[in-house]
């Protein structure tokens, strides 16, 4: 098997690149991305997402791993892995355009006997009902006769250097029992944590989409608790610490829920449910709660400022952190932008500082300007710690504010900041 499998990973972002690099340790592997600038960066030995350390990437390149945007360079492969984003549109509806585009790419190169495996998060049925027909149409080949498919949902946790791709157990599946075993064997040969072979592609798709929906609902619950306990004058984190002494208490914490998974995947599950005539009340209620937390934080800060006699229009506010999570450059679907925009509606003057985020990416996606160093020479009416980057440890947050200024801690990062305010 090792001599026959030639792998192509389509999409070299947070998910695709670490997987392609890992596969390259066992099989001839080509990484394909339609963005030539991204390919050039990788071939020069640097990954801007920081998921693959430069030393590790350069070692893989020296050992034969190749990245390309030339479709002809992947035609000789026979095991295609699709790892492109699956976002939602402005109405929170699943946007399958990247997945359809990747399927068209596969259709142009796939040959008799080849396998295509999808990693992108989708609702049950997308692989075989939406993607495979595209591959058939473009290639002229017949599914499960001329080519085969699998689904192995990604479980990358951006910025996590402990739970890397090879250390996270992988769910696998195939369009036939034989292909399922093949897909499982290929992944199992590089995944140290092992694999779980699901009985069907639809089961694997469903397993993935509920993973993050479950986390979303649990975080929504503690976010609601935070709102309740704040009104009661009780510190939410003290309550959670006490409750966590029970052996089966789930240790979720309140906060902003963004990123490419938890803040998106529940909408895919909700869309699927609605197509089958069921309105998913709990899933959508959790989404509403979490989607509103940025605006809620901004409102809490404004209330604290008013209580301290600070004028809101023209107030200077410093927001520390913009990425969707700590110690990671990923700004996709960050909810910090909701804090910034809501404060802007109050005519506050907001400065955003993030040492991890790319200023170009933030400018392109959100139309905002960043500073990468904490402006210690200035004084602000309010400082909001939105993302708990390690680079913010040791910052004298009180020294950044005017005498009656507000320090608001979204992440329970600052000692003494009870339920946000300090």
């Amino acid at each position: 098997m090792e001599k026959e499998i030639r792998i192509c990973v389509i999409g070299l972002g947070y998910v695709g690149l670490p997987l392609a690099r890992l596969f390259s340790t066992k099989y001839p592997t080509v990484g394909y991305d339609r963005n030539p600038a991204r390919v050039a960066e990788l071939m020069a030995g640097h990954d801007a997402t920081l998921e693959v350390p430069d030393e590790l990437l350069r070692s893989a390149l020296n050992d034969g791993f190749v990245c390309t945007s030339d479709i002809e360079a992947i035609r000789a492969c026979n095991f295609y892995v699709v790892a492109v984003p699956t976002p939602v549109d402005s109405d929170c509806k699943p946007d399958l355009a990247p997945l359809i585009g990747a399927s068209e790419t596969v259709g142009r190169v796939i040959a008799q006997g080849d396998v295509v495996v999808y990693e992108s998060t989708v609702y049950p049925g997308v692989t075989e009902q939406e993607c495979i027909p595209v591959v058939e149409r473009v290639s002229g080949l017949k599914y499960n006769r001329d080519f085969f498919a699998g689904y192995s949902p990604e479980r990358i946790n951006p910025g996590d250097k402990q739970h890397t791709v090879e250390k996270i157990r992988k769910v696998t599946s195939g369009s036939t029992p034989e292909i399922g075993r093949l897909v499982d064997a290929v992944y199992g040969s590089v995944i140290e944590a092992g694999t779980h072979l699901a009985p069907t592609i639809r089961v694997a798709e469903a397993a993935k989409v509920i993973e993050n929906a479950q986390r979303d609902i649990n975080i929504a619950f503690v976010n609601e608790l935070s709102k309740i306990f704040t009104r009661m004058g009780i510190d939410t984190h003290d309550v959670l610490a006490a409750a966590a002494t029970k052996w089966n208490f789930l240790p979720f914490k309140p906060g902003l829920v963004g990123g490419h998974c938890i803040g998106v995947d529940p909408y895919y599950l909700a869309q699927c449910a609605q197509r089958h005539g069921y309105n998913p009340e709990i899933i959508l209620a959790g989404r509403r709660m979490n989607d509103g937390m940025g605006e809620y934080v901004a409102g809490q800060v404004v209330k604290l400022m008013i209580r301290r006699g600070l004028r809101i229009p023209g107030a200077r506010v410093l927001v520390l952190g913009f990425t969707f999570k700590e110690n990671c450059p990923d700004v996709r679907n960050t909810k910090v932008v909701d804090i910034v925009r809501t404060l802007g509606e109050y005519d506050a003057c907001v400065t955003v500082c993030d040492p991890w985020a790319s200023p170009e990416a933030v400018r392109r996606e959100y139309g905002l300007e960043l500073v990468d160093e904490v402006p210690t020479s200035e004084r602000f009416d309010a400082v909001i710690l939105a993302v708990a980057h390690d680079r913010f440890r040791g910052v004298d947050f009180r020294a950044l504010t005017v005498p009656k200024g507000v320090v608001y801690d979204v992440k329970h990062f600052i000692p003494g900041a009870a339920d946000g305010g300090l």
Side-chain angles (χ1 to χ4, degrees), residues 187-223:
Y187 277 92
S189 67
V190 295
I191 302 295
E192 297 173 8
T195 60
H196 173 86
L197 177 57
T200 67
I201 286 175
R202 286 166 60 86
V203 167
E205 290 170 324
K208 170 57 183 176
V209 80
I210 71 167
E211 290 175 14
N212 290 323
Q214 182 187 66
R215 287 184 57 79
D216 192 44
I217 291 167
N218 278 292
I219 296 171
F221 173 62
V222 293
N223 275 336

Side-chain angles (χ1 to χ4, degrees), residues 42 53 92 114 149 168 183 316 330 396 419:
L42 295 176
C92 295
D114 290 357
I168 302 174
V183 172
R316 303 188 67 217
D330 195 345
D396 187 346
D419 257 12

Side-chain angles (χ1 to χ4, degrees), residues 221-272:
F221 173 62
V222 293
N223 275 336
E224 187 163 60
L225 291 179
S226 177
K227 291 183 177 183
I228 294 170
F229 293 141
T230 296
R231 287 174 176 262
M232 298 174 67
I234 301 173
D235 188 295
T236 305
H237 290 275
D238 287 344
V239 175
L240 295 175
T245 59
K246 188 181 181 188
W247 75 93
N248 61 351
F249 183 80
L250 301 178
F252 288 90
K253 296 180 180 180
L256 304 175
V257 182
H260 69 299
C261 288
I262 300 178
V264 173
D265 296 354
Y267 287 121
Y268 276 72
L269 183 56
Q271 173 85 357
C272 180

Side-chain angles (χ1 to χ4, degrees), residues 34-153:
R34 66 179 184 177
N35 183 354
R38 172 67 170 162
V39 169
E41 167 196 89
L42 295 176
M43 289 301 290
H46 176 64
D47 170 27
T49 72
L50 305 182
E51 287 303 302
V52 177
D54 289 355
E55 182 179 355
L56 196 59
L57 176 58
R58 289 168 186 158
S59 175
L61 293 171
N62 289 335
D63 290 339
F65 175 51
V66 175
C67 300
T68 184
S69 56
D70 179 8
I71 194 170
E72 293 303 318
I74 66 175
R75 193 175 294 278
C77 297
N78 56 20
F79 193 96
Y80 296 92
V81 178
V82 175
V84 298
T86 43
V88 293
D89 62 20
S90 58
D91 296 321
C92 295
K93 301 294 185 183
D95 179 6
L96 299 179
L99 206 52
I100 298 304
S103 297
E104 291 174 343
T105 298
V106 172
R108 289 197 289 269
V109 295
I110 200 166
Q112 192 85 21
D114 290 357
V115 176
V116 54
V117 179
Y118 288 86
E119 289 233 352
S120 306
T121 301
V122 293
Y123 52 83
V126 167
T127 297
E128 293 178 292
Q129 295 170 10
E130 302 288 345
C131 299
I132 294 304
V134 174
V135 178
E136 286 186 311
R137 172 176 55 80
V138 176
S139 68
L141 300 177
K142 182 67 176 176
Y143 179 48
N144 276 344
R145 185 191 70 189
D146 303 321
F147 75 95
F148 304 89
Y151 184 78
S152 181

Side-chain angles (χ1 to χ4, degrees), residues 261-334:
C261 288
I262 300 178
V264 173
D265 296 354
Y267 287 121
Y268 276 72
L269 183 56
Q271 173 85 357
C272 180
Q274 289 166 342
R275 286 186 175 184
H276 285 78
Y278 181 81
N279 185 49
E281 297 180 9
I282 294 176
I283 294 170
L284 292 178
R287 278 285 75 230
R288 286 191 295 271
M289 173 61 66
N290 288 338
D291 273 349
M293 286 304 292
E295 184 177 356
Y296 171 77
V297 167
Q300 292 296 103
V301 172
V302 168
K303 288 179 182 178
L304 288 170
M305 293 173 68
I306 291 173
R307 289 172 190 162
R308 298 184 185 186
L310 297 171
R311 189 173 184 272
I312 306 304
R316 303 188 67 217
V317 180
L318 174 64
V319 175
L320 295 174
F322 191 79
T323 59
F324 92 91
K325 64 180 293 187
E326 64 276 2
N327 306 321
C328 170
D330 195 345
V331 298
R332 292 175 297 172
N333 194 36
T334 176

